[in-house]
């Protein structure tokens, strides 16, 4: 595929410029397009090195990933004005209930512009089912899209159930490349999802309390439940074996993935989790909730395990070649530059 398209076509990201996922997209898109971004949440220093500063528009209005973004509509006139000035060939909005809704309301500004809605997970799997208004917003934003991206087939099915047949392109937020991990494993169980009810960290702690004390549970990330979870470890008498390490840099998080024997993540609902793919990449044994998106990646007892709060860790059995199985799977399905190239071929055809 020729990369001269970037000299001819403009690609506008309507997205959170501070997000590492948007940085990942931008790094690939600039190979093919003249890339612009409109962000309500600022932009990262890394993104400034990828997109020309004259192509970046920051509106200084923080969007909320859990909804409640009705005030964002006040930014619509300015967004429309910027889009008209840019006159992009493609408008790619990321996260349906905020940027996605603003995107669909902006499509008439440039009639020939194609709208791409990129869904991330809770914007499709959770928010539309909280109330009728949010469902209406989601259905409207999806129904007007020329293309929709999803990071799991399960989420693609949910989208189809919401709006009928649409052009849905499925690929995960994968990796630039994958190298097999050679770091020696330690007796560490690693958890790095947000400390919120939705992620069921309390169930992980209660399960760990019944395990071999030789292991250490490392809980990364932060959230509103942190104090309650710390109190729970004390109540269960396991605080000496549980370490709360807060937010981690990508480098520090990588270190834990590499040396952890197990990775545990049990949200109530999810699309394809980047953290699950990272655990697979670095050879940690995934222990995950038995939900549809996880079943797209994990076969119980073969390359990971489904969480069972009643089952002891030393009773869990896994194929001795699980790390090689996961390496091969990621090489085939989770190389992001290839996924973006395939995506662009469909979009510009």
């Amino acid at each position: 595929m020729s990369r001269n398209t970037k000299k001819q076509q403009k690609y506008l990201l309507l997205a959170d410029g501070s997000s590492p996922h948007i940085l990942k997209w931008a790094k690939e898109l600039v190979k093919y397009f003249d890339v612009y971004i409109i962000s309500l949440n600022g932009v990262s220093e890394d993104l400034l090195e990828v997109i020309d500063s004259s192509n970046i528009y920051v509106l200084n209005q923080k969007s909320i990933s859990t909804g409640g973004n009705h005030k964002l509509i006040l930014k619509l006139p300015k967004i429309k004005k910027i889009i008209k000035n840019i006159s992009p060939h493609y408008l790619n909005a990321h996260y349906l209930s905020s940027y996605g809704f603003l995107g669909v309301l902006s499509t008439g500004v440039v009639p020939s512009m194609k709208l791409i809605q990129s869904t991330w997970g809770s914007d499709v799997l959770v928010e539309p089912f909280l109330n009728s208004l949010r469902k209406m917003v989601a259905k409207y934003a999806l129904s007007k899209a020329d293309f929709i991206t999803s990071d799991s087939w399960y989420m693609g099915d949910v989208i189809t159930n919401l709006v009928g047949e649409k052009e849905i392109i499925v690929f995960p937020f994968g990796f630039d490349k994958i190298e097999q991990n050679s770091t020696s494993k330690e007796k560490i169980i690693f958890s790095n999802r947000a400390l919120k009810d939705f992620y069921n960290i309390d169930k992980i702690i209660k399960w760990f309390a019944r395990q071999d004390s030789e292991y250490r549970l490392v809980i990364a990330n932060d959230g509103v439940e942190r104090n309650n979870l710390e109190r729970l470890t004390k109540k269960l008498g396991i605080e000496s074996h549980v370490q709360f390490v807060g937010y981690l840099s990508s480098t520090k998080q990588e270190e834990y993935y590499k040396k952890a024997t197990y990775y545990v993540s049990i949200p109530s609902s999810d699309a394809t989790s980047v953290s699950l793919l990272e655990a697979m990449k670095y050879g940690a044994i995934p222990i995950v909730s038995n939900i549809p998106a996880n079943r797209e990646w994990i076969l119980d007892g073969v390359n990971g395990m489904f969480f069972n709060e009643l089952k002891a860790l030393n009773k869990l059995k896994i194929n001795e070649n699980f790390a090689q199985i996961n390496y091969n799977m990621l090489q085939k399905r989770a190389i992001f530059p290839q996924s973006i190239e395939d995506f662009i071929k469909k979009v510009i055809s």
Side-chain angles (χ1 to χ4, degrees):
M1 174 182 177
S2 171
R3 296 188 177 183
N4 290 331
T5 50
K6 74 174 183 178
K7 298 178 182 178
Q8 305 164 0
Q9 296 187 324
K10 297 177 180 178
Y11 194 106
L12 172 60
L13 288 165
L14 186 56
D16 179 0
S18 65
S19 166
H21 295 321
I22 296 305
L23 175 63
K24 184 186 290 284
W25 274 78
K27 283 181 177 179
E28 297 306 317
L29 291 170
V30 295
K31 299 175 183 177
Y32 306 95
F33 302 105
D34 185 13
V35 178
Y36 296 74
I37 185 169
I38 300 174
S39 173
L40 302 171
N41 291 0
V43 296
S44 67
E45 291 295 324
D46 290 334
L47 190 68
L48 290 170
E49 296 179 7
V50 175
I51 300 178
D52 190 282
S53 60
S54 63
N55 290 5
I56 295 175
Y57 299 84
V58 178
L59 302 189
N60 296 316
Q61 171 66 58
K62 187 173 181 61
S63 66
I64 305 170
S65 63
T66 54
N69 291 314
H70 55 280
K71 292 183 180 179
L72 300 183
I73 204 75
L74 299 175
K75 296 293 182 180
L76 186 60
K78 190 167 186 178
I79 289 172
K80 285 184 173 182
K81 183 177 179 180
I82 295 170
I83 292 174
K84 185 175 182 180
N85 289 338
I86 296 171
S87 191
H89 297 83
Y90 308 95
L91 171 59
N92 183 187
H94 284 255
Y95 207 86
L96 208 60
S97 61
S98 52
Y99 291 100
F101 187 54
L102 292 171
V104 74
L105 294 177
S106 303
T107 52
V109 176
V110 182
S112 61
M113 177 179 68
K114 291 183 178 179
L115 174 63
I116 303 158
Q117 294 282 22
S118 288
T119 57
W120 282 32
S122 60
D123 53 344
V124 168
L125 301 179
V126 178
E127 290 188 30
F129 306 101
L130 295 177
N131 57 55
S132 58
L133 177 60
R134 292 189 184 188
K135 177 174 278 191
M136 183 178 68
V137 167
K139 292 177 71 171
Y140 180 68
L142 291 167
S143 67
K144 301 299 182 181
D146 295 289
F147 300 93
I148 300 168
T149 73
S150 166
D151 66 8
S152 70
W153 292 102
Y154 165 62
M155 189 158 67
D157 290 342
V158 174
I159 291 169
T160 300
N161 288 335
L162 282 169
V163 292
E165 291 295 326
K166 297 291 292 185
E167 183 71 36
I168 302 173
I169 305 170
V170 179
F171 58 94
F173 291 169
F175 309 103
D176 293 339
K177 61 180 181 178
I178 302 170
E179 298 176 356
Q180 290 180 303
N181 180 42
S182 59
T183 306
S184 297
K185 293 297 184 180
E186 300 177 18
K187 286 188 176 294
I188 292 174
I189 302 170
F190 184 48
S191 166
N192 65 349
R193 307 308 297 269
L195 307 189
K196 302 176 182 178
D197 286 341
F198 182 80
Y199 291 103
N200 299 310
I201 308 300
D202 59 328
K203 291 183 179 180
I204 294 173
I205 291 171
K206 291 173 184 176
W207 167 77
F208 176 73
R210 297 191 292 269
Q211 306 306 323
D212 185 342
S213 61
E214 290 184 347
Y215 276 88
R216 178 163 54 104
L217 175 61
V218 176
I219 300 176
N221 215 317
D222 216 331
V224 295
E225 287 298 307
R226 178 163 180 168
N227 289 338
N228 290 334
L229 294 170
E230 289 179 335
R231 282 195 292 267
L232 177 61
T233 64
K234 293 178 181 177
K235 179 181 177 181
L236 295 172
I238 57 171
E239 66 269 30
S240 62
H241 297 285
V242 180
Q243 185 179 5
F244 289 85
V245 295
Y247 288 112
L248 298 177
S249 67
S250 57
T251 301
K252 191 66 178 177
Q253 191 155 243
E254 181 180 314
E255 290 177 9
Y256 276 112
Y257 281 128
K258 286 181 175 180
K259 62 187 180 182
T261 299
Y262 294 96
Y263 166 79
V264 60
S265 170
I266 57 169
S268 299
S269 175
D270 214 349
T272 294
S273 164
V274 173
S275 60
L276 169 58
L277 302 187
E278 289 172 339
M280 294 168 67
K281 174 182 178 181
Y282 293 114
I285 299 172
I287 301 176
V288 295
S289 45
N290 187 357
I291 56 177
N294 286 342
R295 292 196 292 270
E296 294 177 23
W297 293 95
I298 298 299
L299 184 61
D300 192 34
V302 176
N303 67 327
M305 303 166 185
F306 293 132
F307 180 80
N308 183 336
E309 57 190 315
L310 301 178
K311 198 162 186 178
L313 194 61
N314 58 13
K315 299 293 184 182
L316 299 176
K317 304 297 181 184
I318 192 167
N319 188 298
E320 62 181 8
N321 295 317
F322 80 92
Q324 186 65 48
I325 293 169
N326 284 338
Y327 174 81
N328 293 342
M329 184 184 296
L330 294 175
Q331 284 283 14
K332 185 176 181 179
R333 297 174 54 193
I335 301 301
F336 196 66
Q338 185 61 55
S339 295
I340 290 293
E341 182 171 340
D342 293 342
F343 157 74
I344 291 171
K345 287 177 181 177
K346 293 181 180 180
V347 168
I348 70 173
S349 61

